[in-house]
C-alpha cells in the first residue's frame, strides 16, 4: 500500500468506526479528500469504495460479539444524565479542543436566551475519539469547564460532577482533581455503527431539550416549541 493509500485508508477506518456518517456520506467525503490532496492518479474511486465496504463489513461482524452495554452506550447514558443535571455534554464536538469550546458557547448562548444558563460543560472531540477506536490502548479524554469562568473552585466542582456521573454509569474514570487536566476514561472502547434509525448524537437541538428547564409560558406563545425550532436552525443552517 502506498503512503497516499495508507493516508486515505486511515481516514476511511476512522470515519467508519466513529459511526457519525452514513456510507454514502463517507464515500463523498473520501472522494473530496482524495481530490483535495491530489491523489487521483494513485487512488481510484473503486479502490476507495472497496475499502469503505470492507471496513464496514468487518465492523458489522465484530459488532455481533460486543458486550452490552458497550462503553459507548454507557457514555451516551452518562451524557444524557449530565444534561439533565444542567451540564452541557456534547458528543464529537469538532476536531480540536478549541472547536469543542466554540460549540459549547453556542449552546450556552441558546440557554441564556431562555434564561437558563448551564452549570458547566463537558465534551470530547474527534481527535479524542480517534484514540478510542484504536485496537490497542484505547482511551477517551473528556474536557470540562464552565463558560465564562476563571474560578478554580467552580471548575473543580464541574469536574467532580462530570467524573461522578461518568462513574455512576459504569465507566472507569481516572482524574486527580486537577482543574488543568482532562478526565480520562482508560481502556474505553468506542463501539458504534451508523444506522439511519439511530439517534443523532450531534443533534444539539436534542441536547437543548435535555438542558432546558420548564419555563412559564411567554405572552406570545404557549410553549417552547418555537424557541427550540429557532435554536435548531442555528445549528443546521
Amino acid at each position: 500500500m502506498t503512503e497516499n493509500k495508507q493516508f486515505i485508508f486511515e481516514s476511511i477506518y476512522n470515519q467508519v468506526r466513529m459511526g457519525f456518517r452514513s456510507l454514502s456520506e463517507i464515500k463523498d467525503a473520501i472522494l473530496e479528500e482524495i481530490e483535495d490532496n491530489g491523489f487521483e492518479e494513485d487512488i481510484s474511486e473503486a479502490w476507495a469504495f472497496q475499502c469503505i465496504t470492507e471496513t464496514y463489513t468487518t465492523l458489522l461482524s465484530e459488532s455481533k460479539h460486543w458486550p452490552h452495554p458497550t462503553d459507548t452506550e454507557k457514555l451516551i447514558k452518562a451524557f444524557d444524565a449530565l444534561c439533565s443535571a444542567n451540564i452541557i455534554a456534547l458528543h464529537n464536538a469538532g476536531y480540536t479542543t478549541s472547536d469543542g469550546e466554540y460549540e459549547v458557547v453556542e449552546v450556552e448562548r441558546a440557554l441564556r436566551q431562555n434564561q437558563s444558563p448551564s452549570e458547566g460543560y463537558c465534551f470530547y472531540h474527534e481527535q479524542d475519539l480517534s484514540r478510542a477506536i484504536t485496537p490497542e490502548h484505547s482511551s477517551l479524554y473528556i474536557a470540562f469547564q464552565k463558560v465564562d469562568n476563571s474560578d478554580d473552585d467552580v471548575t473543580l466542582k464541574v469536574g467532580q460532577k462530570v467524573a461522578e456521573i461518568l462513574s455512576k454509569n459504569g465507566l472507569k474514570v481516572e482524574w486527580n482533581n486537577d482543574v488543568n487536566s482532562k478526565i480520562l476514561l482508560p481502556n474505553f472502547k468506542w463501539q458504534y455503527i451508523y444506522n439511519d434509525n439511530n439517534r443523532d448524537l450531534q443533534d444539539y437541538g436534542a441536547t437543548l431539550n435535555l438542558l432546558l428547564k420548564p419555563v412559564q409560558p411567554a405572552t406570545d406563545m404557549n410553549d417552547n416549541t418555537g424557541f427550540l425550532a429557532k435554536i435548531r436552525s442555528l445549528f443546521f443552517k
Side-chain angles (χ1 to χ4, degrees):
M1 188 181 293
T2 66
E3 184 177 342
N4 292 344
K5 284 185 175 180
Q6 183 62 38
F7 177 85
I8 292 299
F9 178 77
E10 289 177 3
S11 182
I12 289 171
Y13 182 89
N14 287 346
Q15 292 188 50
V16 171
R17 291 263 167 179
M18 289 177 184
F20 284 95
R21 289 177 169 176
S22 68
L23 291 185
S24 62
E25 288 172 330
I26 293 174
K27 288 178 180 179
D28 289 342
I30 291 299
L31 289 180
E32 183 176 348
E33 192 169 354
I34 291 171
E35 181 179 352
D36 288 345
N37 285 280
F39 294 162
E40 296 96 329
E41 292 186 5
D42 187 26
I43 302 176
S44 68
E45 178 181 301
W47 180 87
F49 286 5
Q50 180 181 354
C51 287
I52 293 170
T53 299
E54 290 177 352
T55 303
Y56 177 77
T57 300
T58 299
L59 179 62
L60 196 61
S61 178
E62 289 178 10
S63 70
K64 297 176 182 178
H65 306 287
W66 289 347
H68 292 278
T70 64
D71 288 343
T72 308
E73 289 167 342
K74 294 175 184 177
L75 183 67
I76 293 170
K77 186 177 179 182
F79 270 31
D80 285 353
L82 283 162
C83 287
S84 295
N86 201 30
I87 293 178
I88 300 169
L90 301 184
H91 293 277
N92 200 30
Y95 187 70
T96 65
T97 298
S98 295
D99 293 338
E101 290 170 347
Y102 172 84
E103 298 291 351
V104 164
V105 169
E106 289 298 299
V107 175
E108 181 69 23
R109 182 186 303 166
L111 291 172
R112 292 181 182 184
Q113 285 177 0
N114 203 45
Q115 294 78 51
S116 184
S118 73
E119 295 177 17
Y121 67 77
C122 68
F123 65 84
Y124 61 90
H125 52 68
E126 189 173 324
Q127 286 185 327
D128 294 321
L129 187 53
S130 66
R131 301 184 188 98
I133 62 173
T134 55
E136 299 178 357
H137 309 299
S138 58
S139 62
L140 186 68
Y141 281 98
I142 307 294
F144 65 91
Q145 183 48 281
K146 183 176 181 179
V147 175
D148 297 332
N149 170 63
S150 58
D151 186 332
D152 284 352
D153 288 338
V154 173
T155 305
L156 178 62
K157 290 179 181 179
V158 174
Q160 289 173 336
K161 188 64 175 180
V162 172
E164 175 191 355
I165 291 180
L166 290 170
S167 181
K168 281 185 176 180
N169 281 275
L171 293 165
K172 184 178 180 180
V173 174
E174 288 187 5
W175 183 58
N176 60 359
N177 285 335
D178 182 355
V179 297
N180 297 309
S181 297
K182 292 183 178 181
I183 295 169
L184 173 64
L185 305 183
N187 303 315
F188 180 97
K189 295 186 182 299
W190 180 266
Q191 295 173 320
Y192 194 70
I193 295 180
Y194 179 88
N195 186 304
D196 287 336
N197 296 321
N198 281 350
R199 162 189 171 185
D200 182 359
L201 297 180
Q202 292 178 287
D203 178 359
Y204 297 159
T207 302
L208 283 164
N209 275 331
L210 292 173
L211 286 159
L212 284 171
K213 299 176 181 178
V215 296
Q216 294 298 321
T219 56
D220 58 342
M221 61 181 181
N222 294 322
D223 55 34
N224 286 332
T225 304
F227 172 78
L228 290 175
K230 180 180 179 181
I231 296 305
R232 283 196 177 93
S233 69
L234 295 176
F235 296 108
F236 301 102
K237 289 183 180 179

